[in-house]
Amino acid sequence: MTCVWYLPLLPLLLSAGLQIRPLSGGLVKVEEELESSAVISHSLGLMGRLEKLLLQGNSSDVSLRVETVDGDEVKLFQAHSLVLSLQSPALGRILQNRNSSTLVLQESSDCVAVFEKFIRYLYCGELSVNLDQATALHKLAAKYGVANLQQGLAEYMSQNLAGASASGHVVGWYEYAAAAGDAGLRDTCLQFLSWNLSAVLQSARWPAIGAELLMALLRRSDLVLQSELELFQGLEVWLIRNDPNSLTAENALRAVRYAMIPPRELFQLQRNSPVLRRYHESVRDLLYLSFQFHSASPVQLAKFFDVNCSLFVPRNYLAASWGTAWAVNNPARDDRSISFQSQLGPSGHDEGKRVTWNALFSPRWLPLSLRPMYNEPGAMHQSQTAQPTLGAARPRIIITPTTSSAEFAGVNFQKTVVVSTRQQGQLVVRHVYNFHQSTEETGDFLSGVDLQQRTSEYLADGSLHMHVIIKPLYQTLIAVKKTDVL
C-alpha cells in the first residue's frame, strides 16, 4: 500500500517503521508491505477516557453556561476548547471571540434539557436518543454545524416514523423540518402522513396541525384513507376547532374532491354540516359540478368538462367498493391469486355496476431479458443454458379484468398496491405502487425486500399485507374551453 504525506510528518512515519522515499514539493512516499499490515484499535478505550475527561472536567479551559432566555433553566459544563472546536466549527468561532473563561449559550428549554447529550456526542461521537429528544438535538446540531449528528438524527426520525405516529411526533417533526428548511426530512414526514392519513385523522394531534401542513395534505392525490367523506369529516373537525380566516377555510374546502363522495352522502352533508352551511357559496360551483358528475354518464360529461382535473381524480381509498385487502401468507413460497370486484366508476350514473378483477402475485418472477431463449421447440439456445441466479427473480403482481366490456369506453383503470409493514407493533403503510397492469412497470416493486424470513420487517405474523385499489380515471373526449374548466 502506498500513500503520500507531507514532510512535517516524517518523524512520526519513521517511528512507525515505515519505508520512506522523498519526493519533490515537500512530499514523501510511504511504502508498506500489505502482508504485514494490521489494524490495532483502542477507540472504545479512547471514547471512555474522553467521556471521563468531560465528566471530571480535568484540564478544562472553558466553562459553558447553557441557559434559557429568561434564565429559569441553567446547566454548567467544564469543557475543552480544542475538543469543541474540532467537532463544531460554529463553537470554534464563538470560542475565538470570547472575552472570559465562561461562555454563555442561550437555548430554548427543550435544547437546554438535552444539551448534556449534545456535548457528550462532541466528546464521544455517540449518544442515545428517544422520540421526544430528536428535534431538540437536531436543532442543536444544525445551529452548531455538527453535520454528522444532524444527518444521523434525520435518518433516525425517518426510520422511526411508524413508532411516532400514535403520539403525533411526525406532525411535530414535519413542522420543525419545514421551519428549519430541511426539505428531505419534511418531504419524508409528509409522505408518511399522506400514506397513513386515516390514523392521523383519528389522532389527538390532528386538530392542532398547522394550516400549511393541512393544505399540503389536501392537495395530494396519494392520500391513503377510507374515503373522501372521511377526509371531509376530518377537515370539518379542524375548521371548527381552529376557526381560521375565511380565505384559509375556503381554500381548504375547495381542495375536497366532492365528486368522489356518493350523491346521498353529499345531500346529507349539505343538510347537516355546519361548515358547508357557513361556506356554501364558496364551494357551490364544486357541489353543482359534482352532482352533474353523478347524474350524467362519464362519456357525456367528458364532452363538456375537463374530467382530468383533481375534482374527478380519486385518491387511494380503502373502502370495499374500490378494491380489496390481500394478506399473502408465506409469500416466498409460490404464486397466489385472488378475485375481487370494484365499482366501474365513482359516478352515481354507474352505481351498481361492477368489474371483476383477477390479481396474480408471483414471488419469483423473471424479467424477459433474463429468461432462457429457445431456437426451436424443445431446444434451448446454447448461450442460455445457464440458469439465472435466484437473486434476479423478484416479486410481481398482475391485475387484469376477467371480461372486457364496452362500458369501459372513456375510462382507464389505474391500479395501486398499498404495502403495509409492522413497525414497533403497528401496521403502517410502507410503500404505494401505481401501475396499469403489472408492477413490472414500476421497476421497484418490493425491490430488495426480504420475503424469506418470517421475522422480516415486511411481514406481519408471517404474511405480506397489501391492499389492491382500482382507480377509474376518465378521459376527456373533446377539447373544452377554459371557461368550462375549474
Side-chain angles (χ1 to χ4, degrees):
M1 179 177 65
T2 301
C3 304
V4 177
W5 298 83
Y6 283 103
L7 278 175
L9 295 177
L10 185 58
L12 179 62
L13 299 174
L14 289 172
S15 67
L18 300 174
Q19 299 179 13
I20 308 300
R21 184 159 57 88
L23 300 174
S24 61
L27 299 176
V28 296
K29 179 172 286 187
V30 183
E31 297 179 344
E32 179 185 2
E33 296 296 330
L34 286 175
E35 56 269 18
S36 63
S37 66
V39 176
I40 300 174
S41 174
H42 65 288
S43 57
L44 292 178
L46 177 61
M47 188 174 68
R49 285 191 288 274
L50 286 171
E51 185 175 20
K52 186 177 181 180
L53 190 67
L54 172 64
L55 294 175
Q56 296 181 351
N58 297 337
S59 303
S60 66
D61 61 348
V62 61
S63 296
L64 295 182
R65 179 184 173 90
V66 186
E67 62 183 25
T68 54
V69 176
D70 54 17
D72 287 347
E73 299 179 57
V74 178
K75 287 190 176 183
L76 299 174
F77 302 94
Q78 297 301 316
H80 306 80
S81 299
L82 176 61
V83 176
L84 299 181
S85 299
L86 285 173
Q87 296 289 69
S88 167
L91 279 175
R93 290 190 294 269
I94 296 173
L95 288 167
Q96 280 185 332
N97 299 322
R98 76 183 193 277
N99 297 321
S100 67
S101 60
T102 299
L103 180 63
V104 179
L105 301 175
Q106 290 190 335
E107 308 291 346
S108 58
S109 58
D110 59 334
C111 288
V112 171
V114 299
F115 202 89
E116 184 175 353
K117 286 180 175 288
F118 174 70
I119 198 172
R120 184 186 183 280
Y121 178 86
L122 299 184
Y123 275 77
C124 304
E126 70 174 26
L127 54 74
S128 61
V129 60
N130 59 41
L131 299 177
D132 293 319
Q133 300 167 336
T135 52
L137 286 167
H138 192 280
K139 193 184 304 182
L140 289 171
K143 178 178 180 179
Y144 294 110
V146 187
N148 288 339
L149 178 58
Q150 187 176 355
Q151 180 180 354
L153 288 165
E155 292 176 358
Y156 165 81
M157 287 187 273
S158 297
Q159 294 168 4
N160 287 272
L161 293 172
S165 60
S167 52
H169 284 83
V170 183
V171 172
W173 291 352
Y174 170 87
E175 293 173 343
Y176 163 73
D182 190 326
L185 179 59
R186 178 202 62 200
D187 293 344
T188 300
C189 291
L190 181 59
Q191 179 177 275
F192 179 86
L193 293 170
S194 300
W195 288 355
N196 295 274
L197 191 58
S198 281
V200 176
L201 293 173
Q202 300 303 318
S203 70
R205 186 66 186 269
W206 167 252
I209 72 168
E212 188 270 340
L213 173 55
L214 175 74
M215 292 307 303
L217 289 169
L218 291 174
R219 293 189 182 107
R220 293 176 71 103
S221 292
D222 65 342
L223 302 182
V224 178
L225 69 168
Q226 289 298 314
S227 65
E228 194 72 17
L229 179 61
E230 181 187 30
L231 181 62
F232 176 85
Q233 292 169 337
L235 174 59
E236 187 173 46
V237 169
W238 189 91
L239 291 171
I240 293 173
R241 184 74 61 88
N242 292 276
D243 193 21
N245 59 61
S246 296
L247 181 60
T248 298
E250 290 171 5
N251 287 337
L253 286 167
R254 290 189 66 82
V256 176
R257 301 181 181 183
Y258 299 99
M260 297 299 108
I261 301 176
R264 294 187 188 87
E265 295 174 353
L266 272 180
F267 278 121
Q268 292 177 354
L269 287 180
Q270 282 190 295
R271 179 178 179 181
N272 301 324
S273 169
V275 168
L276 273 190
R277 287 200 299 269
R278 179 178 177 181
Y279 294 100
H280 184 266
E281 288 301 313
S282 302
V283 295
R284 181 173 60 175
D285 59 324
L286 300 182
L287 294 173
Y288 177 69
L289 189 55
S290 297
F291 283 120
Q292 285 184 303
F293 168 77
H294 286 297
S295 61
S297 72
V299 173
Q300 288 298 318
L301 191 73
K303 294 179 180 179
F304 304 100
F305 298 100
D306 179 13
V307 293
N308 299 128
C309 71
S310 61
L311 183 66
F312 303 113
V313 176
R315 308 184 207 255
N316 295 322
Y317 304 126
L318 302 176
S321 58
W322 293 89
T324 185
W326 191 8
V328 178
N329 186 37
N330 194 9
R333 190 179 64 193
D334 49 30
D335 292 359
R336 314 293 174 82
S337 64
I338 188 175
S339 294
F340 63 95
Q341 288 189 327
S342 72
Q343 57 192 13
L344 175 62
S347 168
H349 180 272
D350 294 328
E351 185 178 8
K353 298 177 182 178
R354 295 289 182 266
V355 180
T356 302
W357 303 90
N358 184 69
L360 172 67
F361 171 78
S362 176
R364 292 177 298 275
W365 175 82
L366 284 173
L368 281 173
S369 59
L370 297 177
R371 296 179 187 177
M373 295 178 60
Y374 298 88
N375 289 332
E376 58 186 40
M380 181 181 292
H381 193 279
Q382 186 175 2
S383 64
Q384 299 292 334
T385 54
Q387 291 294 321
T389 61
L390 184 61
R394 59 174 183 259
R396 182 180 73 156
I397 290 179
I398 302 175
I399 301 176
T400 54
T402 58
T403 58
S404 60
S405 173
E407 292 180 340
F408 289 3
V411 181
N412 280 329
F413 293 99
Q414 177 182 295
K415 288 86 172 182
T416 296
V417 173
V418 176
V419 178
S420 299
T421 62
R422 182 82 67 184
Q423 293 186 358
Q424 300 186 7
Q426 301 181 59
L427 198 63
V428 299
V429 175
R430 185 70 172 270
H431 291 291
V432 174
Y433 301 96
N434 299 308
F435 53 95
H436 292 290
Q437 179 173 329
S438 170
T439 53
E440 180 189 359
E441 300 163 21
T442 69
D444 62 347
F445 178 64
L446 296 179
S447 176
V449 171
D450 178 18
L451 298 179
Q452 301 289 332
Q453 302 296 327
R454 292 181 64 86
T455 56
S456 169
E457 64 175 326
Y458 278 83
L459 303 183
D461 303 322
S463 297
L464 175 65
H465 288 263
M466 300 179 288
H467 200 108
V468 181
I469 301 171
I470 306 297
K471 299 166 69 172
L473 301 177
Y474 299 111
Q475 305 171 51
T476 298
L477 303 181
I478 298 177
V480 295
K481 298 179 181 179
K482 292 184 178 181
T483 54
D484 294 330
V485 183
L486 293 179

PDB file of all heavy atoms in Angstrom, residues 80-96 98 122:
ATOM      1  N   HIS A  80     -13.463  21.745  26.995  1.00  0.00           N
ATOM      2  CA  HIS A  80     -12.126  21.936  26.446  1.00  0.00           C
ATOM      3  C   HIS A  80     -12.256  22.532  25.052  1.00  0.00           C
ATOM      4  O   HIS A  80     -12.892  21.934  24.171  1.00  0.00           O
ATOM      5  CB  HIS A  80     -11.379  20.605  26.410  1.00  0.00           C
ATOM      6  CG  HIS A  80     -11.349  19.904  27.734  1.00  0.00           C
ATOM      7  ND1 HIS A  80     -12.421  19.182  28.199  1.00  0.00           N
ATOM      8  CD2 HIS A  80     -10.380  19.847  28.680  1.00  0.00           C
ATOM      9  CE1 HIS A  80     -12.118  18.679  29.395  1.00  0.00           C
ATOM     10  NE2 HIS A  80     -10.890  19.073  29.707  1.00  0.00           N
ATOM     11  N   SER A  81     -11.655  23.689  24.872  1.00  0.00           N
ATOM     12  CA  SER A  81     -11.810  24.429  23.615  1.00  0.00           C
ATOM     13  C   SER A  81     -11.375  23.613  22.409  1.00  0.00           C
ATOM     14  O   SER A  81     -12.005  23.672  21.343  1.00  0.00           O
ATOM     15  CB  SER A  81     -10.994  25.726  23.665  1.00  0.00           C
ATOM     16  OG  SER A  81     -11.435  26.553  24.717  1.00  0.00           O
ATOM     17  N   LEU A  82     -10.296  22.836  22.557  1.00  0.00           N
ATOM     18  CA  LEU A  82      -9.790  22.063  21.440  1.00  0.00           C
ATOM     19  C   LEU A  82     -10.831  21.061  20.948  1.00  0.00           C
ATOM     20  O   LEU A  82     -11.096  20.953  19.748  1.00  0.00           O
ATOM     21  CB  LEU A  82      -8.511  21.330  21.842  1.00  0.00           C
ATOM     22  CG  LEU A  82      -7.921  20.403  20.762  1.00  0.00           C
ATOM     23  CD1 LEU A  82      -7.545  21.203  19.524  1.00  0.00           C
ATOM     24  CD2 LEU A  82      -6.710  19.641  21.309  1.00  0.00           C
ATOM     25  N   VAL A  83     -11.467  20.329  21.881  1.00  0.00           N
ATOM     26  CA  VAL A  83     -12.460  19.323  21.511  1.00  0.00           C
ATOM     27  C   VAL A  83     -13.668  19.989  20.867  1.00  0.00           C
ATOM     28  O   VAL A  83     -14.153  19.555  19.816  1.00  0.00           O
ATOM     29  CB  VAL A  83     -12.892  18.501  22.735  1.00  0.00           C
ATOM     30  CG1 VAL A  83     -13.997  17.520  22.365  1.00  0.00           C
ATOM     31  CG2 VAL A  83     -11.704  17.752  23.322  1.00  0.00           C
ATOM     32  N   LEU A  84     -14.148  21.055  21.474  1.00  0.00           N
ATOM     33  CA  LEU A  84     -15.326  21.743  20.938  1.00  0.00           C
ATOM     34  C   LEU A  84     -15.062  22.305  19.549  1.00  0.00           C
ATOM     35  O   LEU A  84     -15.910  22.227  18.652  1.00  0.00           O
ATOM     36  CB  LEU A  84     -15.753  22.857  21.891  1.00  0.00           C
ATOM     37  CG  LEU A  84     -16.160  22.440  23.313  1.00  0.00           C
ATOM     38  CD1 LEU A  84     -16.571  23.669  24.118  1.00  0.00           C
ATOM     39  CD2 LEU A  84     -17.277  21.418  23.286  1.00  0.00           C
ATOM     40  N   SER A  85     -13.884  22.871  19.337  1.00  0.00           N
ATOM     41  CA  SER A  85     -13.560  23.478  18.047  1.00  0.00           C
ATOM     42  C   SER A  85     -13.401  22.427  16.961  1.00  0.00           C
ATOM     43  O   SER A  85     -13.778  22.661  15.804  1.00  0.00           O
ATOM     44  CB  SER A  85     -12.279  24.304  18.172  1.00  0.00           C
ATOM     45  OG  SER A  85     -12.435  25.347  19.119  1.00  0.00           O
ATOM     46  N   LEU A  86     -12.817  21.288  17.327  1.00  0.00           N
ATOM     47  CA  LEU A  86     -12.650  20.224  16.347  1.00  0.00           C
ATOM     48  C   LEU A  86     -13.992  19.674  15.873  1.00  0.00           C
ATOM     49  O   LEU A  86     -14.168  19.366  14.691  1.00  0.00           O
ATOM     50  CB  LEU A  86     -11.817  19.082  16.946  1.00  0.00           C
ATOM     51  CG  LEU A  86     -10.314  19.329  17.083  1.00  0.00           C
ATOM     52  CD1 LEU A  86      -9.658  18.178  17.839  1.00  0.00           C
ATOM     53  CD2 LEU A  86      -9.668  19.485  15.708  1.00  0.00           C
ATOM     54  N   GLN A  87     -14.960  19.557  16.752  1.00  0.00           N
ATOM     55  CA  GLN A  87     -16.241  18.950  16.435  1.00  0.00           C
ATOM     56  C   GLN A  87     -17.254  19.937  15.890  1.00  0.00           C
ATOM     57  O   GLN A  87     -18.141  19.550  15.136  1.00  0.00           O
ATOM     58  CB  GLN A  87     -16.810  18.269  17.687  1.00  0.00           C
ATOM     59  CG  GLN A  87     -15.974  17.115  18.210  1.00  0.00           C
ATOM     60  CD  GLN A  87     -16.057  15.919  17.293  1.00  0.00           C
ATOM     61  OE1 GLN A  87     -15.539  15.939  16.175  1.00  0.00           O
ATOM     62  NE2 GLN A  87     -16.736  14.873  17.725  1.00  0.00           N
ATOM     63  N   SER A  88     -17.141  21.198  16.293  1.00  0.00           N
ATOM     64  CA  SER A  88     -18.142  22.194  15.901  1.00  0.00           C
ATOM     65  C   SER A  88     -17.455  23.471  15.425  1.00  0.00           C
ATOM     66  O   SER A  88     -16.947  24.238  16.244  1.00  0.00           O
ATOM     67  CB  SER A  88     -19.076  22.507  17.074  1.00  0.00           C
ATOM     68  OG  SER A  88     -19.847  23.667  16.810  1.00  0.00           O
ATOM     69  N   PRO A  89     -17.437  23.720  14.112  1.00  0.00           N
ATOM     70  CA  PRO A  89     -16.845  24.964  13.616  1.00  0.00           C
ATOM     71  C   PRO A  89     -17.515  26.204  14.207  1.00  0.00           C
ATOM     72  O   PRO A  89     -16.834  27.208  14.471  1.00  0.00           O
ATOM     73  CB  PRO A  89     -17.081  24.874  12.102  1.00  0.00           C
ATOM     74  CG  PRO A  89     -17.249  23.413  11.815  1.00  0.00           C
ATOM     75  CD  PRO A  89     -17.910  22.840  13.021  1.00  0.00           C
ATOM     76  N   ALA A  90     -18.813  26.130  14.411  1.00  0.00           N
ATOM     77  CA  ALA A  90     -19.537  27.284  14.956  1.00  0.00           C
ATOM     78  C   ALA A  90     -19.072  27.585  16.375  1.00  0.00           C
ATOM     79  O   ALA A  90     -18.824  28.745  16.736  1.00  0.00           O
ATOM     80  CB  ALA A  90     -21.037  27.024  14.926  1.00  0.00           C
ATOM     81  N   LEU A  91     -18.940  26.539  17.203  1.00  0.00           N
ATOM     82  CA  LEU A  91     -18.447  26.751  18.566  1.00  0.00           C
ATOM     83  C   LEU A  91     -17.001  27.237  18.541  1.00  0.00           C
ATOM     84  O   LEU A  91     -16.593  28.045  19.386  1.00  0.00           O
ATOM     85  CB  LEU A  91     -18.556  25.458  19.362  1.00  0.00           C
ATOM     86  CG  LEU A  91     -19.935  25.131  19.950  1.00  0.00           C
ATOM     87  CD1 LEU A  91     -19.924  23.758  20.603  1.00  0.00           C
ATOM     88  CD2 LEU A  91     -20.359  26.193  20.954  1.00  0.00           C
ATOM     89  N   GLY A  92     -16.219  26.752  17.585  1.00  0.00           N
ATOM     90  CA  GLY A  92     -14.838  27.208  17.468  1.00  0.00           C
ATOM     91  C   GLY A  92     -14.760  28.702  17.232  1.00  0.00           C
ATOM     92  O   GLY A  92     -13.926  29.398  17.835  1.00  0.00           O
ATOM     93  N   ARG A  93     -15.633  29.228  16.355  1.00  0.00           N
ATOM     94  CA  ARG A  93     -15.633  30.673  16.090  1.00  0.00           C
ATOM     95  C   ARG A  93     -16.066  31.454  17.321  1.00  0.00           C
ATOM     96  O   ARG A  93     -15.507  32.514  17.630  1.00  0.00           O
ATOM     97  CB  ARG A  93     -16.541  30.974  14.912  1.00  0.00           C
ATOM     98  CG  ARG A  93     -16.004  30.479  13.571  1.00  0.00           C
ATOM     99  CD  ARG A  93     -16.824  31.016  12.415  1.00  0.00           C
ATOM    100  NE  ARG A  93     -18.183  30.477  12.434  1.00  0.00           N
ATOM    101  CZ  ARG A  93     -18.539  29.360  11.799  1.00  0.00           C
ATOM    102  NH1 ARG A  93     -17.631  28.664  11.131  1.00  0.00           N
ATOM    103  NH2 ARG A  93     -19.780  28.932  11.829  1.00  0.00           N
ATOM    104  N   ILE A  94     -17.064  30.931  18.035  1.00  0.00           N
ATOM    105  CA  ILE A  94     -17.532  31.616  19.237  1.00  0.00           C
ATOM    106  C   ILE A  94     -16.436  31.634  20.300  1.00  0.00           C
ATOM    107  O   ILE A  94     -16.214  32.647  20.979  1.00  0.00           O
ATOM    108  CB  ILE A  94     -18.801  30.930  19.777  1.00  0.00           C
ATOM    109  CG1 ILE A  94     -19.943  31.054  18.770  1.00  0.00           C
ATOM    110  CG2 ILE A  94     -19.219  31.534  21.109  1.00  0.00           C
ATOM    111  CD1 ILE A  94     -21.184  30.264  19.149  1.00  0.00           C
ATOM    112  N   LEU A  95     -15.723  30.535  20.450  1.00  0.00           N
ATOM    113  CA  LEU A  95     -14.665  30.445  21.461  1.00  0.00           C
ATOM    114  C   LEU A  95     -13.513  31.399  21.148  1.00  0.00           C
ATOM    115  O   LEU A  95     -12.886  31.950  22.061  1.00  0.00           O
ATOM    116  CB  LEU A  95     -14.156  29.005  21.542  1.00  0.00           C
ATOM    117  CG  LEU A  95     -15.123  27.999  22.184  1.00  0.00           C
ATOM    118  CD1 LEU A  95     -14.653  26.563  21.933  1.00  0.00           C
ATOM    119  CD2 LEU A  95     -15.247  28.268  23.679  1.00  0.00           C
ATOM    120  N   GLN A  96     -13.228  31.595  19.869  1.00  0.00           N
ATOM    121  CA  GLN A  96     -12.151  32.501  19.497  1.00  0.00           C
ATOM    122  C   GLN A  96     -12.447  33.936  19.905  1.00  0.00           C
ATOM    123  O   GLN A  96     -11.538  34.717  20.201  1.00  0.00           O
ATOM    124  CB  GLN A  96     -11.917  32.450  17.988  1.00  0.00           C
ATOM    125  CG  GLN A  96     -11.093  31.250  17.535  1.00  0.00           C
ATOM    126  CD  GLN A  96     -10.784  31.320  16.051  1.00  0.00           C
ATOM    127  OE1 GLN A  96     -11.544  31.901  15.268  1.00  0.00           O
ATOM    128  NE2 GLN A  96      -9.671  30.722  15.645  1.00  0.00           N
ATOM    129  N   ARG A  98     -14.466  34.897  22.496  1.00  0.00           N
ATOM    130  CA  ARG A  98     -14.952  35.064  23.875  1.00  0.00           C
ATOM    131  C   ARG A  98     -14.017  35.987  24.653  1.00  0.00           C
ATOM    132  O   ARG A  98     -12.811  36.089  24.371  1.00  0.00           O
ATOM    133  CB  ARG A  98     -15.096  33.721  24.567  1.00  0.00           C
ATOM    134  CG  ARG A  98     -13.804  33.075  25.022  1.00  0.00           C
ATOM    135  CD  ARG A  98     -14.107  31.699  25.625  1.00  0.00           C
ATOM    136  NE  ARG A  98     -12.989  31.149  26.359  1.00  0.00           N
ATOM    137  CZ  ARG A  98     -11.965  30.488  25.817  1.00  0.00           C
ATOM    138  NH1 ARG A  98     -11.927  30.303  24.503  1.00  0.00           N
ATOM    139  NH2 ARG A  98     -10.984  30.022  26.573  1.00  0.00           N
ATOM    140  N   LEU A 122     -20.102  15.439  21.185  1.00  0.00           N
ATOM    141  CA  LEU A 122     -18.907  16.127  20.726  1.00  0.00           C
ATOM    142  C   LEU A 122     -17.640  15.463  21.256  1.00  0.00           C
ATOM    143  O   LEU A 122     -16.608  15.454  20.583  1.00  0.00           O
ATOM    144  CB  LEU A 122     -18.942  17.595  21.154  1.00  0.00           C
ATOM    145  CG  LEU A 122     -20.117  18.441  20.619  1.00  0.00           C
ATOM    146  CD1 LEU A 122     -19.961  19.886  21.039  1.00  0.00           C
ATOM    147  CD2 LEU A 122     -20.228  18.332  19.105  1.00  0.00           C
TER     148      LEU A 122
END
